Amino acid sequence: MKHIINCLVENQPGVLARIVGLISGRGYNIETLNVGPTADPTVSKMTIVVPGDSHIIEQVTHQLSKQVDVIEVVNMTNRRHLDRELILVRVATVNHHTRAEIVDLAALFMARVVAVQEDSVTIQMVGNQETVADFLRLMKPYAIVDISRTGVIAVGRDAPESAAKKG
Amino acid sequence: MNDKADTDTSSPATQPLKTGAQCVIDGLVKAGCEVLFGYPGGAVLDIFNCLYEAPFNFVLTRHEQGAVHMADGYARATGKAGCCLVTSGPGATNTVTGLATAYMDGIPLVCITGQVALNMIGNDAFQEADVIGITRPVTKHNFLVRNADELPDIIAKAFYIATTGKPGPVVIDIPKNVQKAKTAALPPETVTMRAYHPDVPINATEIARFAELINRASRPLLYVGGGAISGGAADVLAQVAHKANIPVTTTLMALGIFPETDPLSLHMLGMHGSVAANYAVDHCDLLISAGARFDDRVTGKISSFASKAAIVHIDIDRSSIGKSVRADLGVHGYVKPVLEAVLPFVKPAEHAEWLEQVNRWKERFPFTYPQSEDTLMPQYVIEQIDAVSAGKAVVVTDVGQNQMWAAQFFRYTRPRNFITSGGLGTMGFGLPAAIGAQFGRHGEPVVCVTGDGGVQMNFQELVVAVEHRIPIVVVILNNGFLGMVRQWQELFYGRRYSGVMLSQHGRAPNEEIPEAPGYLPDFVKMAEAHGACARRIFKEEEVGPALREALASGKTWVIECIVAPEANVFPMIPPGSHVAEMINRTV
Ligand SMILES: Cc1ncc(C[n+]2csc(CCOP(=O)(O)OP(=O)(O)O)c2C)c(N)n1
Ligand SMILES: [Mg+2]
């Protein structure tokens, strides 16, 4: 099962390496990783998507939260949350028929065409994990030339912050 | 100190400016450092320059690994943070084994490493190594200091992190230009860290459930680990055990936390633990783990470990609770306050039947060994160390059979009197750790029990003991083998002794090295070459007198005991097995 883990950390060099090292050192492959500043510039938020057994991921979150520079760790998967990812995908267009199909599909996903070339279109799409996966499955037959993804970000839907404090 | 300070009107107070190097010394003094172990080099010359007039002892080791193990031995013997200082590059990489050793056992250390100047980092500069990267997985935390202004704060934080929560080693990597830079920054009065809160409030619900489990149990057992030693929990542990008549077994790391002379003591558990302790784990209906971490050398086959018991797991490290073994109740906190909180709710109990059962196991299966007419048995040597020192010796071990015999045949009665590398099992730890321990425990007898293999890994440090008149007694149990590996080859690999022979002694006649001296190496000559007193002994009747003479001499001694080459450590539960598969050929 995939887990979305949000980490609030001190915005300092070396913290990212410590966290990534801890997860990859246990043989887990981080699927996506997003880091950005928060409203407090001394704090960064990391969102890590990692597949793994729930029991072990729980232990990893405890190990993460005991790191000296980690302020808070929340496994978003265990609570009500919103998640989004932005992708930029360039799809080959063999002729104007395929282009029209692709643009139609994009419209169904409320994705935007952000660039058009002779032989391709580039689409910007935003969605949660499932929607992004659905969209990419539909794009697959059209030969994806290039793709860039921001990685998942997530926020809780309930009032902050009832669970998973440091300790 | 410098005239800039007097003329610098921009600095708020009239604080004289200090160099980063001076801040290091001041930080160490403020943290209560009594002795610093280390080794110089280009990248720490500025700090060594300030050391020249530092108010604490500096001990020049002969290898950086020795410096870390000495600081570690000092920390284990005293409970205070050990301190060491090494140069960049090779100096720093030489500390890695020592750091990992301390990390695995939760030992507080602060290790200062020099680094090339900040603007050179990443350029493959001379003696540059990515120390932050290399030491990350073997430290509790590490700091790269970018600016002299942050140095006083970082040093204070390093000691705070090292000594609180689950203790551990902390590295401070200080670039050369930062050591030279000047700053007006002062050490903080108190350390506060937003993201690090080692103190855990006691959870009353957990305590209530804990008490209920104790009061309901008919076959309770306390399983105590190193966390109880670092948390200073000996007294309250004894109170809990005696109040409800709960037998106590300890891990290797916690030997001495509960007097092994107490009728409730079951000695050590695990792979080479006592039969009684391992049977008790198998039969108990409540296992109270206090500061232990269910290491695989303790549990053997995880699925059948304490299979009839409810498990209570007390640990300051939340990530340790439930890591390897399911816990029916996790109690997050330091062992001492948790036991103090539960004590008033514990009802006095007899557990007569259970204690009777446990005592029958104790009587029937004591630690024992085959007697031999012509060869000295290593176990006898350990018993003599106990007898000659009247149980008072601080025993520091290396790793291997010698370590296990030292654990089995000396009755430990006080915490911090048995010092060993448990988690990492680092050969070469014993001798330098014994020196460090003696620095922390002046006036107490310190005996290093080591093997003919492990002692060679850091033999060079013997000079340090001689130089500082450190009266340790190094007892080498020379069996001519990497004995513990040989034992596994004997038991599990059909006696095919591959790569385990250390000396002439013990070799088959057709494998003898022609024209080599009888002893290879000659430890007595080696010891004497390092300035220590030394003797080689072969017989039981020589052991007591040699130990007495060495302990009374106030000098550094090496006693080489030529012992039975193929003696084994029993009982032994083969790795990954259940108690029922215990091998116990002791007679
Ligand atoms: C640095 C290191 N290398 C290898 C090992 C593996 N090892 C564990 S015990 C042992 C044999 C130790 O031999 P010796 O020091 O003679 O002690 P003995 O077991 O004979 O008492 C070895 C090689 C280790 N624990 N540490
Ligand atoms: Mg040996």
Side-chain angles (χ1 to χ4, degrees), chain B residues 398-402 405 425-427 451-455 457 477 479 481-485 502:
Chain B
D398 209 76
V399 167
Q401 292 183 312
N402 59 84
W405 289 319
T426 307
M427 281 172 71
D452 45 336
V455 77
M457 286 201 176
L477 299 179
N479 50 14
F481 281 109
L482 295 173
M484 186 56 95
V485 179
L502 286 172

Side-chain angles (χ1 to χ4, degrees), chain B residues 360-377:
Chain B
R360 269 201 304 277
W361 290 325
K362 265 175 81 171
E363 272 157 38
R364 238 186 104 196
F365 308 106
F367 286 123
T368 174
Y369 56 95
Q371 305 299 317
S372 162
E373 288 288 304
D374 42 320
T375 47
L376 177 57
M377 294 307 285

Side-chain angles (χ1 to χ4, degrees), chain A residues 10 13 17-18 40 42-43 55 58-59 62-63 66 68-71 166-167, chain B residues 135-136 139-142 146 161 193-197 317-319 322-323 332:
Chain A
E10 296 284 352
R18 219 171 226 281
D40 176 349
T42 66
V43 177
H55 171 73
E58 190 194 323
Q59 211 232 323
H62 287 309
Q63 282 178 332
K66 97 179 171 193
V68 167
D69 281 333
V70 173
I71 299 164
K166 278 259 328 181
Chain B
T135 63
R136 185 175 296 122
T139 51
K140 182 169 171 187
H141 196 63
N142 56 19
R146 281 153 207 283
I161 294 166
M193 295 176 73
R194 165 169 59 187
Y196 178 70
H197 307 286
D317 178 359
R318 179 67 190 78
S319 68
K323 179 171 67 182
H332 185 200

Side-chain angles (χ1 to χ4, degrees), chain B residues 228-287:
Chain B
I229 298 224
S230 52
D235 290 345
V236 66
L237 169 72
Q239 286 171 358
V240 171
H242 286 133
K243 188 168 182 188
N245 275 300
I246 306 174
V248 181
T249 177
T250 77
T251 66
L252 181 71
M253 295 309 301
L255 284 174
I257 186 80
F258 187 75
E260 293 193 290
T261 45
D262 191 296
L264 287 173
S265 167
L266 303 185
H267 312 305
M268 179 174 78
L269 82 169
M271 180 178 278
H272 293 298
S274 76
V275 175
N278 287 316
Y279 278 6
V281 169
D282 199 38
H283 285 76
C284 66
D285 66 354
L286 174 68
L287 185 75

Side-chain angles (χ1 to χ4, degrees), chain A residues 122-139:
Chain A
T122 303
I123 294 162
Q124 166 192 306
M125 191 264 174
V126 177
N128 64 18
Q129 291 188 88
E130 275 175 17
T131 324
V132 169
D134 286 348
F135 180 66
L136 286 176
R137 207 176 48 245
L138 289 168
M139 283 299 117

